[in-house]
Amino acid sequence: MGGAGGPRPPKVLRWIASLLIRAPDAAFIMDDLGELYERDVAGGMPRWRARWRYGRNLLGSAWSVWGAGVRGRGRGGVSWLDFKLGFRMLVKYPGLTLIGGLAMAFAIWVGVGTFEFISQVVYPTLPLEEGDRIVAIELWNVEESRQEPRTLHDFIAWREELRTVEVLGASRTVERNLITGDGVGMPVDVAEMTASAFRLAGVAPLLGRTLQRADEAPGAPGVVVLGYDLWQRRFGADPGVVGSTVRLGREQATVVGVMPEGFAFPVSHRIWAPLRLDPLEYERGQGPALRVFGRLAAGVSLEEAQAELTALGRRAAAAYPQTHEHLRPRVMPYAKSVIDPSGWESLGILSINGFIIALLVLVCGNVALLLFARAAARESEIAVRSALGASRGRIIGQLFAEALVLSAVAAAVGLAGASLGLRWGMGILESTVLDGYALPFWFHETLSPASVVYTLALTLLAAAVAGVLPALKVTGRELAGRLRQASAGGGGVRFGGVWTAVIVAQVAFTIFCPLISLVLQREMSEIRNRELGFPVEEFLSVVLRTDEDQAMGLADDSARAERQARARATFLELKRRLAAEPRVSGVTFAATPPGASHPWRRIEVDDGGAVPPWEPPGYRVRVASVAVDYFDVLGAAITAGRGFEPADVEAGRAVVVNSFFVDSILGGHNPIGRRVRYLPDRSEARSPAAEPEPWYEIVGVVDDLRLDDGASSLIAGLFHPVAPAAAGANGMVVHVRGDPASFAPRLRRIAADVDPTLRLERLVPMEQFRREYLRFYGFWSWLIGGLTLIALVLSWAGIYAVLSFNVARRTREIGVRVALGGNARRIILAVFRRPILQVGLGVIVGALLIVLLHIITSDPGREPMAWQIAQIAVYAAVMMGVCMLACIVPAWRALHVEPTVALRAE
């Protein structure tokens, strides 16, 4: 290209120009631009500037020629005819359309759903009027690097003096027991809020009215506003609920309004009461934790509001140095005051999109293998088009358009499923990770415009990977020469090392991922079937709390002891009332209910254990704090020594261990009288002031009562005796005759009668713990199973495409060898040697990954390594056979090639 003495542009520019325009046009343009370059140099222009001008003009001319081809549907670019041909190809190759389209749709579905959720975490938007101008104000302790939430006096001052932020309001969350007319109580998180918060949100009530300033006055009648979900669930969507009376703990309140669906300000609340706080009752710097919010005044920026707050903060620090010397007020977007990942945390969260894009590229790389096989089969057509004057860019554009049609259909399917998947994923997150708490109200299940744009970007990326890469390979250099070789029976385009790596990677993935799914299924099966040491289906579990729990941490020792004594009396009275119920067989207390995972601790034995520790130093055990009658109520047998006695609670030095503790740590030796103590954690161990833990004496052995969810192997357990309401022992276990769930309403009525402030949280049948774990495992099993199925289908399709392509390319050779009496086994081996090696290598890599995973996550309680290796070998052999099923049809075609047909093949 270009004259003999003219400059040659960089390879990148020449490659781009060759993609956009035909070779004759490129040569003509380069010759013309070469003369211009020589004139520039002769005129004194620096060579670097002349070369820059040369390259810029080259790309500009190439782009103009390509654009003219697009407009005229001529030699270059992409036309609507290419998209019409792409739709025809979808119909002509239904298998490829189904396999490749579903694979792309799954990757786009996962990508868009993940992007939408991540965007809501990092870049939240409030679905309220002028939501972008709603801000939060807080005090920051610069000396201790923490927030100071006790801002009652500051809030009063800000409301009077602040001018850059208007409609200033505050709220706090209190836990109360909501008791309706039927006498049944349920725990609720009440948002005690100023009336200005409803004006700030700008949402009209569905029924009645919202809170008013008069409701905040001391001595005003108690009122509440209900959320839509609570109104539907607890009041049966009764339109006459306004004016009815309910109780929040011991206080009566009148329902004055119902908010519309979706309203949950300030975070995720469903019931609101007026905030009544008198600053005269608290010293400065004291009082309840408040959340302060408002709206930026018209024309005011966040920076201007911060400047005014800084001035007010300096004034407060000067006036009250004892409490405000290190406090600095700051203003921020409201949602950031609830969830505010730091810069590095935001970067880490956003980087998840990189893994999603990698997944899409991996899936599209597999689809590209299929499209490459299809494009290679059309090599004759492509060569003829090139001979008739079609540029390489024009041919690549056509293949890209065909892939774009496929990815667009997949994007439509993925986009339709993303909203449903987002709703499902948020439900899993709330029920498992957040333990039943709802996400903030600005998290939504619909896709934002940014997600639609992101989908378009993924669609183009998928089309580029799946369409352009095969097109570049097929339309490479010496296309006409390859066509002549293919006609002779031994040439044509070949699958190179990149495609070999793709096949090996996807086969390894196909081997590795199903085992993970099988492991999850095994965990689920063990959770369902493993005995926990007591009849779990006959028990109710509940967490007991009182209104005084929130103030317990702020009280001094004497006040804390007094409140704890009152709570213990309440718990015991509830136990007495329940014990009198005909359906109740027993009631006991524990810090953590049986059937749930208990905390880990590391211990040492007085004279060492009989077996080496699993993870030195010490032995890992699960620890439970239980009432004296815990084992009796659960029906767990004491196999050695004795159970707990009331005196053990006061002494605090007796422990009971389970049978597995004796077998695994003490080697089956007599445990009675042996002593154990806890080892400090790593931070405490490094402290020079750390004192050794006290020794505890083993007084009994209980049958293998599990201290986990049953998903793992049996674990050593250690039990301590505690009194109800002490040391966090606020979990109650009720043994019920018949269906435990049917007794739950009766239990709530009795609790409300004993103490209206007694809240029953997490009141569920004990079997519910299993169902929650199963739901969590099921989510990941489904997700990994979907990836595995896609990888498996793509592996089958890719191997089938490779083998079919090899057979088609070597039709003449196979026919001649068959005609000459060639051995069928040798023919098959010659044709399929490389695919068989690729599949075998993928199986080996996948099996090695499985072995590595087993070594990392090995559990001494499970079957030995040799048995695991045997399972892996059998599984790998089965998967090898499954992958080789894709060879059946191509092999049959290869052995049934007619010599006369083969000799006529082009």
Side-chain angles (χ1 to χ4, degrees):
M1 298 182 185
R8 292 183 61 82
K11 290 183 178 180
V12 174
L13 299 182
R14 285 187 282 130
W15 180 74
I16 295 175
S18 67
L19 289 179
L20 295 175
I21 54 181
R22 296 184 307 164
D25 293 335
F28 176 78
I29 292 173
M30 289 182 185
D31 287 340
D32 195 30
L33 294 179
E35 295 178 2
L36 178 62
Y37 171 83
E38 292 174 355
R39 289 199 299 270
D40 289 340
V41 174
M45 181 181 293
R47 286 187 175 273
W48 68 267
R49 186 174 180 182
R51 288 180 63 84
W52 169 258
R53 183 181 180 188
Y54 178 87
R56 184 186 62 186
N57 291 335
L58 171 63
L59 292 181
S61 300
W63 180 259
S64 299
V65 173
W66 183 82
V70 172
R71 291 189 296 270
R73 296 186 180 182
R75 294 185 298 263
V78 180
S79 69
W80 286 111
L81 182 62
D82 295 323
F83 292 105
K84 291 175 64 177
L85 181 59
F87 280 108
R88 292 177 182 176
M89 288 297 177
L90 293 183
V91 178
K92 185 177 180 181
Y93 298 94
L96 186 148
T97 301
L98 182 63
I99 295 173
L102 288 179
M104 286 184 174
F106 182 83
I108 292 175
W109 169 72
V110 174
V112 174
T114 304
F115 174 82
E116 178 63 43
F117 183 76
I118 289 174
S119 299
Q120 293 181 39
V121 172
V122 181
Y123 305 110
T125 57
L126 298 185
L128 301 174
E129 182 181 356
E130 294 187 296
D132 58 331
R133 299 187 62 78
I134 296 179
V135 297
I137 302 176
E138 64 180 31
L139 286 177
W140 186 256
N141 191 317
V142 294
E143 184 182 37
E144 301 178 6
S145 296
R146 63 172 181 85
Q147 180 189 358
E148 175 50 71
R150 295 170 293 184
T151 57
L152 176 59
H153 289 269
D154 300 274
F155 165 66
I156 300 299
W158 293 335
R159 188 164 58 179
E160 295 175 354
E161 302 176 20
L162 200 56
R163 296 293 177 265
T164 54
V165 180
E166 57 188 13
V167 199
L168 206 65
S171 72
R172 69 167 180 166
T173 300
V174 295
E175 298 176 353
R176 292 290 182 264
N177 204 32
L178 175 64
I179 305 174
T180 55
D182 57 2
V184 177
M186 65 175 296
V188 292
D189 290 338
V190 182
E192 291 189 349
M193 233 170 31
T194 57
S196 59
F198 287 96
R199 299 201 315 272
L200 178 71
V203 178
L206 180 67
L207 298 175
R209 66 172 176 87
T210 60
L211 299 179
Q212 298 175 354
R213 185 67 181 267
D215 297 327
E216 302 173 21
V223 296
V224 294
V225 177
L226 303 178
Y228 184 86
D229 293 341
L230 182 62
W231 174 58
Q232 291 273 330
R233 184 176 68 253
R234 194 70 181 86
F235 297 87
D238 179 14
V241 70
V242 175
S244 62
T245 301
V246 298
R247 279 195 299 169
L248 290 177
R250 291 191 174 93
E251 299 178 359
Q252 285 194 341
T254 302
V255 177
V256 296
V258 177
M259 297 305 293
E261 186 176 8
F263 182 83
F265 191 85
V267 182
S268 58
H269 296 82
R270 297 294 184 267
I271 184 169
W272 299 267
L275 179 65
R276 296 171 180 169
L277 293 175
D278 186 357
L280 298 179
E281 297 180 359
Y282 303 94
E283 296 181 3
R284 186 170 296 275
Q286 299 299 318
L290 294 181
R291 185 184 301 275
V292 181
F293 39 76
R295 181 187 293 114
L296 294 175
V300 174
S301 66
L302 199 66
E303 291 74 18
E304 292 171 332
Q306 181 60 60
E308 185 184 12
L309 271 172
T310 301
L312 294 178
R314 293 197 188 101
R315 193 183 311 165
Y320 312 104
Q322 291 183 346
T323 57
H324 283 64
E325 179 183 2
H326 304 292
L327 298 183
R328 304 291 183 269
R330 61 181 186 179
V331 61
M332 64 186 68
Y334 178 75
K336 290 290 186 181
S337 68
V338 179
I339 301 177
D340 186 20
S342 64
W344 285 108
E345 291 173 342
S346 298
L347 183 61
I349 294 173
L350 291 173
S351 66
I352 297 176
N353 288 308
F355 294 101
I356 299 301
I357 293 175
L359 171 66
L360 179 68
V361 171
L362 176 63
V363 170
C364 292
N366 287 283
V367 177
L369 182 64
L370 306 180
L371 295 179
F372 175 58
R374 188 186 73 179
R378 298 165 57 191
E379 191 173 23
S380 299
E381 168 199 338
I382 294 172
V384 170
R385 293 190 63 186
S386 178
L388 293 177
S391 67
R392 189 186 185 194
R394 183 70 182 84
I395 297 173
I396 292 176
Q398 176 189 335
L399 298 179
F400 170 75
E402 295 176 10
L404 184 59
V405 171
L406 178 62
S407 62
V409 173
V413 176
L415 198 61
S419 180
L420 179 61
L422 190 63
R423 184 182 305 114
W424 184 35
M426 286 184 176
I428 295 291
L429 178 65
E430 289 177 342
S431 63
T432 56
V433 179
L434 299 181
D435 197 22
Y437 289 95
L439 288 166
F441 71 91
W442 53 85
F443 281 83
H444 53 84
E445 301 163 353
T446 57
L447 299 180
S448 63
S451 293
V452 177
V453 174
Y454 186 73
T455 304
L456 296 177
L458 293 182
T459 303
L460 293 175
L461 176 63
V465 174
V468 175
L469 293 181
L472 290 174
K473 179 68 174 178
V474 173
T475 60
R477 295 185 179 184
E478 300 178 356
L479 177 61
R482 289 205 317 269
L483 179 61
R484 288 191 296 270
Q485 293 177 5
S487 306
V493 67
R494 299 176 181 272
F495 287 91
V498 174
W499 303 112
T500 298
V502 169
I503 293 174
V504 171
Q506 71 183 18
V507 172
F509 187 81
T510 305
I511 296 295
F512 179 69
C513 276
L515 188 67
I516 298 179
S517 184
L518 290 175
V519 169
L520 290 176
Q521 290 294 333
R522 184 175 67 176
E523 299 288 344
M524 294 171 65
S525 177
E526 290 182 353
I527 292 175
R528 291 191 190 97
N529 302 324
R530 182 168 284 174
E531 295 293 335
L532 299 181
F534 66 99
V536 63
E537 67 279 357
E538 300 176 7
F539 284 83
L540 269 176
S541 172
V542 60
V543 177
L544 303 178
R545 300 193 187 281
T546 65
D547 291 350
E548 292 185 335
D549 290 344
Q550 292 177 296
M552 192 77 74
L554 302 177
D556 55 29
D557 292 340
S558 60
R560 188 180 300 111
E562 182 181 350
R563 288 171 177 167
Q564 195 173 74
R566 287 199 299 267
R568 182 179 300 114
T570 300
F571 287 10
L572 293 177
E573 174 61 19
L574 177 61
K575 177 181 179 179
R576 186 189 67 79
R577 293 279 299 273
L578 287 175
E581 289 291 312
R583 293 187 57 189
V584 175
S585 300
V587 181
T588 188
F589 298 90
T592 303
S597 292
H598 289 61
W600 285 103
R601 290 295 301 270
R602 198 175 295 278
I603 66 166
E604 65 176 338
V605 186
D606 51 3
D607 57 351
V611 295
W614 296 338
E615 297 182 31
Y619 304 86
R620 291 185 72 204
V621 299
R622 288 193 185 271
V623 181
S625 297
V626 300
V628 172
D629 58 353
Y630 183 81
F631 303 123
D632 294 333
V633 173
L634 265 63
I638 300 295
T639 59
R642 62 175 177 85
F644 291 127
E645 298 174 352
D648 295 328
V649 176
E650 298 297 330
R653 288 293 175 264
V655 294
V656 171
V657 298
N658 63 359
S659 299
F660 191 75
F661 182 100
V662 178
D663 295 335
S664 61
I665 295 180
L666 302 181
H669 298 156
N670 181 22
I672 307 303
R674 298 287 293 274
R675 296 188 305 161
V676 299
R677 69 178 176 183
Y678 295 109
L679 294 174
D681 60 24
R682 294 178 180 177
S683 60
E684 294 174 344
R686 286 193 294 266
S687 174
E691 297 182 359
E693 294 272 349
W695 288 99
Y696 297 92
E697 181 183 355
I698 300 176
V699 298
V701 179
V702 67
D703 203 4
D704 281 329
L705 191 63
R706 300 185 63 89
L707 297 176
D708 57 9
D709 51 35
S712 57
S713 59
L714 198 58
I715 297 170
L718 197 66
F719 299 86
H720 290 268
V722 294
N730 56 347
M732 187 173 70
V733 180
V734 184
H735 191 184
V736 180
R737 297 183 181 94
D739 180 23
S742 64
F743 186 73
R746 176 61 180 165
L747 177 55
R748 289 191 180 279
R749 289 189 185 93
I750 295 174
D753 190 46
V754 169
D755 185 351
T757 69
L758 186 60
R759 300 190 308 277
L760 274 59
E761 301 178 357
R762 297 284 291 166
L763 176 56
V764 293
M766 203 76 73
E767 187 69 23
Q768 180 70 23
F769 292 111
R770 283 186 174 181
R771 288 196 288 267
E772 291 180 357
Y773 284 114
L774 289 173
R775 188 181 181 194
F776 179 78
Y777 279 108
F779 171 77
W780 287 107
S781 178
W782 184 92
L783 185 62
I784 295 175
L787 288 172
T788 300
L789 180 61
I790 289 175
L792 184 61
V793 173
L794 285 175
S795 296
W796 286 343
I799 296 168
Y800 177 84
V802 171
L803 296 178
S804 297
F805 172 75
N806 284 339
V807 171
R809 184 172 61 86
R810 302 177 66 176
T811 297
R812 181 188 293 270
E813 173 195 345
I814 294 172
V816 171
R817 296 181 67 174
V818 170
L820 295 176
N823 183 272
R825 184 173 58 83
R826 292 184 178 180
I827 295 175
I828 293 295
L829 185 61
V831 176
F832 298 155
R833 179 184 294 111
R834 187 173 184 181
I836 291 175
L837 291 177
Q838 291 168 343
V839 172
L841 182 59
V843 169
I844 294 174
V845 173
L848 291 177
L849 290 175
I850 293 173
V851 173
L852 179 62
L853 177 67
H854 174 84
I855 294 175
I856 294 175
T857 61
S858 60
D859 186 344
R862 295 198 187 276
E863 56 263 34
M865 182 66 178
W867 176 243
Q868 286 280 351
I869 293 177
Q871 289 180 315
I872 293 171
V874 172
Y875 176 74
V878 171
M879 292 305 300
M880 178 75 174
V882 170
C883 292
M884 294 311 297
L885 287 176
C887 304
I888 293 177
V889 175
W892 184 87
R893 289 178 179 174
L895 293 178
H896 291 78
V897 172
E898 293 292 338
T900 56
V901 175
L903 293 174
R904 290 197 302 267
E906 297 181 351

